[in-house]
Amino acid sequence: NAGVTQTPKFQVLKTGQSMTLQCAQDMNHNSMYWYRQDPGMGLRLIYYSASEGTTDKGEVPNGYNVSRLNKREFSLRLESAAPSQTSVYFCASTLIRTSGFLDTQYFGPGTRLTVL
Amino acid sequence: AQKVTQAQTEISVVEKEDVTLDCVYETRDTTYYLFWYKQPPSGELVFLIRRNSFDEQNEISGRYSWNFQKSTSSFNFTITASQVVDSAVYFCALSVSGGGADGLTFGKGTHLIIQP
């Protein structure tokens, strides 16, 4: 099992450019998440998808869009990148059981994005 | 809203010393989950432990131990006989929804430096 994979690992954009960060998991998890990590801020939730076909905003959704392509894949899109979006982006996934019991959330290796 | 506070921004100890990382959480939910993650200099997030709100048993795993006290809303992490490889940023996190579908709330992290 590869777990949670993310592409690309590094990216440099100019202000105004667009790009999509890709995330895939092979653990048959139903819920997927996108976080950003900024120095001294911990990780903050951007968007999440509780199940295939649903997406919801997290704490810091402005400037981002997401797509839950299928059960395995959850992409994050920056339509018009801004320097404030310079950050490390982490994708995560977990299994939420029908009982509501929460499994462990596993993280991908991260994408380091710089917007000039 | 939920909140996780890690008051110690940085801790530096000499190898073989014991060290405790503090975590205080706030939530009105009676069912919640607490986590600790390790982020080594390489940047990935490594899961360490998950604890349910209805299980207050302390846990020990090798040199690591966790003390969960609902009365003080704390979930502290102790490393016994620290080693240089323990140097990392450690995050405490909280999930409160019935299924954790809305992601984790992270503290800002504690940077642990183990000096040889």
Side-chain angles (χ1 to χ4, degrees):
Chain A
N1 283 353
V4 181
T5 57
Q6 292 182 235
T7 56
K9 285 188 168 54
F10 301 93
Q11 184 71 48
V12 179
L13 294 177
K14 294 181 180 178
T15 297
Q17 287 186 317
S18 62
M19 78 161 294
T20 300
L21 281 65
Q22 306 287 354
C23 173
Q25 52 88 13
D26 62 1
M27 296 177 282
N28 202 33
H29 286 168
N30 47 16
S31 295
M32 298 184 73
Y33 309 82
W34 277 105
Y35 296 87
R36 60 178 288 173
Q37 182 180 20
D38 302 300
M41 295 294 293
L43 279 79
R44 293 180 293 170
L45 184 67
I46 304 171
Y47 269 94
Y48 64 97
S49 172
S51 60
E52 190 177 352
T54 69
T55 60
D56 284 285
K57 296 178 181 179
E59 181 185 354
V60 288
N62 291 347
Y64 305 96
N65 285 303
V66 291
S67 295
R68 183 74 182 267
L69 304 171
N70 47 55
K71 189 173 185 179
R72 291 185 63 248
E73 299 172 289
F74 188 39
S75 63
L76 178 71
R77 182 160 178 84
L78 286 70
E79 291 290 351
S80 179
S84 60
Q85 294 178 304
T86 294
S87 188
V88 180
Y89 292 85
F90 287 96
C91 178
S93 71
T94 190
L95 177 66
I96 299 174
R97 304 177 190 275
T98 52
S99 63
F101 186 82
L102 173 66
D103 210 331
T104 296
Q105 202 165 110
Y106 293 97
F107 286 80
T111 295
R112 188 173 294 273
L113 174 67
T114 301
V115 183
L116 302 175
Chain B
Q2 297 71 241
K3 187 177 180 181
V4 176
T5 301
Q6 295 180 255
Q8 304 149 311
T9 304
E10 184 174 289
I11 300 174
S12 180
V13 301
V14 176
E15 198 172 19
K16 297 184 184 176
E17 287 186 13
D18 299 348
V19 58
T20 295
L21 309 182
D22 298 332
C23 173
V24 174
Y25 62 92
E26 296 176 29
T27 178
R28 293 180 179 174
D29 287 61
T30 56
T31 300
Y32 52 89
Y33 302 81
L34 294 162
F35 301 79
W36 276 95
Y37 287 87
K38 175 183 179 180
Q39 187 174 44
S42 51
E44 73 272 23
L45 284 157
V46 179
F47 165 76
L48 295 178
I49 189 172
R50 179 185 76 236
R51 175 64 71 208
N52 308 323
S53 57
F54 41 85
D55 182 2
E56 282 193 78
Q57 274 193 329
N58 292 327
E59 183 155 339
I60 298 174
S61 177
R63 297 183 297 106
Y64 295 171
S65 62
W66 291 269
N67 184 291
F68 177 29
Q69 291 197 330
K70 289 176 75 171
S71 60
T72 56
S73 297
S74 64
F75 187 42
N76 297 337
F77 173 31
T78 297
I79 301 175
T80 303
S82 60
Q83 299 176 2
V84 172
V85 293
D86 295 326
S87 295
V89 179
Y90 290 85
F91 291 99
C92 181
L94 168 71
S95 178
V96 299
S97 72
D102 55 354
L104 299 176
T105 298
F106 281 83
K108 294 185 178 181
T110 297
H111 185 197
L112 178 63
I113 301 167
I114 310 296
Q115 299 179 17

